[in-house]
Amino acid sequence: MTNKVLITQKLLDSCEKAIFEKFDATRLYEKADRDAFLTENGASFIAIAGGNVDPALMDRMPNLKMISNFGVGYDSIDTAEAKKRDIRVTNTPNVLNDAMAEITIGLMVGLARRIPQADQFVRQGKWPGGNFPLQSELTGKTVGIVGLGRIGKEIAERCQAMKMRVVYYGRRKQTGIPHVYYDKLVEMARDSDWLVVITPGGAATDKLVSADVIEALGKDGFLVNMARGTVVDEAALVDALVNNKIAGAALDVFEKEPQVPEALFGLDNVVLSPHQGSATHQTRYAMGALVVDNLSAFFNGDPLLTPVV
Ligand code: 8YV
């Protein structure tokens, strides 16, 4: 078997470098005419590094046996179709848990204590004219975590360090978890001061945070989305923020990245972040290494390190 790898999206430099050193690699994303390239060469590739793999791309790559995704979320890969075709899929879990949890707390504090606005207040020379308005704080508040998975648990631990009460919503109650479980998201939203969304994206969670959930969170509630833009009904969220139906939102992800609803730009009750949950040197390096290690395991015939299919 050859070790031809097709890179479907721009990856971290160190990751691409290692892929080129270890395998016979090609960057699909650089090809001016991808269609023509795939017609001529698609059948020669055994593996993909990166995401954005739909059945149409699989059709063009009849010998594809493995997809090594850069990211814990693999909603850009049709895994059901991959399974049908005996294509293995791996992701990059765990190595990003701490970075994700860290920025989640940062965005929460930024939103509650209005750090971006306070910075502007000082820079714009407004301080001598009077003090910055008082803010809210996390201490003593209830945070509802939507998706208490590996990252969710790290966020929960840090929220407890902020002296918050943690509750959670998920498909099922987990054993050995001390936090109160809700099987209805609307009810958890009603009982929470903060809602932190950190559940996988994809069809199963599409608009899970619906207009009803946002309404239940209420005018004193804050929403934080660290998952995927698709998990929240973005139009309903924008409406709630514009009309002060909730207190505020911190958003790291959006429905149509890198496009962000312009209606958010002028709002004072939002903190916006360009999908940078895992974007630190050390975490992205570790994610890249895992992408490469999964490819190596596959080509060596060893068990995959972090398979999802
Ligand atoms: C990355 C992510 O932004 O891991 C994920 O699922 O969303 C992020 O860590 C993304 O995968 C980089 O392409």
Side-chain angles (χ1 to χ4, degrees):
M1 178 166 72
T2 66
N3 64 358
K4 279 178 82 77
V5 176
L6 189 63
I7 306 176
T8 51
Q9 66 183 94
K10 170 106 186 72
L11 302 174
L12 192 72
D13 286 350
S14 60
C15 175
E16 288 201 3
K17 189 167 175 277
I19 291 173
F20 274 93
E21 275 166 15
K22 289 175 187 280
F23 316 106
D24 181 0
T26 304
R27 294 184 176 96
L28 177 65
Y29 67 85
E30 271 186 0
K31 301 287 173 206
D33 190 343
R34 292 182 194 200
D35 213 46
F37 175 81
L38 287 168
T39 303
E40 205 164 311
N41 306 285
S44 66
F45 290 95
I46 310 296
I48 279 179
N52 305 325
V53 190
D54 59 10
L57 180 56
M58 295 177 196
D59 285 344
R60 313 297 301 279
M61 303 179 67
N63 294 309
L64 181 65
K65 294 277 174 290
M66 147 81 171
I67 304 167
S68 184
N69 183 49
F70 187 100
V72 65
Y74 47 88
D75 47 311
S76 76
I77 298 170
D78 190 331
T79 47
E81 194 60 38
K83 200 169 180 174
K84 258 193 237 162
R85 300 177 189 221
D86 268 330
I87 300 169
R88 306 296 309 275
V89 181
T90 57
N91 67 341
T92 60
N94 293 320
V95 292
L96 44 52
N97 296 352
D98 289 323
M100 290 291 302
E102 205 172 284
I103 194 170
T104 304
I105 297 297
L107 288 171
M108 291 170 77
V109 175
L111 181 61
R113 303 301 300 268
R114 298 169 55 79
I115 292 173
Q117 293 92 336
D119 176 272
Q120 287 301 314
F121 180 82
V122 176
R123 285 172 202 254
Q124 292 167 6
K126 291 184 178 163
W127 194 6
N131 285 335
F132 189 70
L134 301 184
Q135 312 114 50
S136 69
E137 66 188 91
L138 303 184
T139 305
K141 304 289 163 54
T142 295
V143 55
I145 308 226
V146 183
L148 196 70
R150 291 171 290 228
I151 303 171
K153 289 189 175 85
E154 291 292 340
I155 295 172
E157 203 173 315
R158 285 161 178 80
C159 284
Q160 286 183 290
M162 307 307 283
K163 304 188 177 174
M164 300 183 87
R165 172 177 169 259
V166 175
V167 299
Y168 74 105
Y169 164 84
R171 277 168 301 177
R172 63 189 77 83
K173 187 173 165 41
Q174 300 185 38
T175 49
I177 297 291
H179 315 303
V180 170
Y181 169 71
Y182 285 80
D183 62 0
K184 295 199 175 52
L185 183 50
V186 170
E187 284 174 14
M188 184 172 83
R190 196 164 293 143
D191 293 350
S192 298
D193 304 294
W194 287 78
L195 216 55
V196 174
V197 184
I198 185 65
T199 191
T205 57
D206 193 58
K207 296 191 175 49
L208 175 69
V209 179
S210 61
D212 287 349
V213 171
I214 294 167
E215 193 189 321
L217 184 60
K219 66 174 180 37
D220 297 322
F222 293 94
L223 180 80
V224 182
N225 189 4
M226 303 304 296
R228 287 289 184 262
T230 53
V231 181
V232 175
D233 183 334
E234 199 168 75
L237 175 62
V238 170
D239 172 67
L241 289 164
V242 168
N243 295 300
N244 295 307
K245 293 180 189 166
I246 62 171
L251 306 171
D252 188 50
V253 288
F254 304 87
E255 213 175 297
K256 297 192 177 79
E257 295 171 11
Q259 306 309 321
V260 173
E262 273 186 39
L264 296 177
F265 292 164
L267 297 183
D268 192 42
N269 53 355
V270 288
V271 175
L272 303 173
S273 172
H275 196 148
Q276 54 167 345
S278 66
T280 68
H281 292 291
Q282 72 193 61
T283 288
R284 284 286 166 86
Y285 184 84
M287 289 165 69
L290 197 44
V291 167
V292 177
D293 290 348
N294 272 307
L295 285 168
S296 295
F298 170 77
F299 283 115
N300 291 336
D302 294 334
L304 300 177
L305 280 80
T306 48
V308 291
V309 170

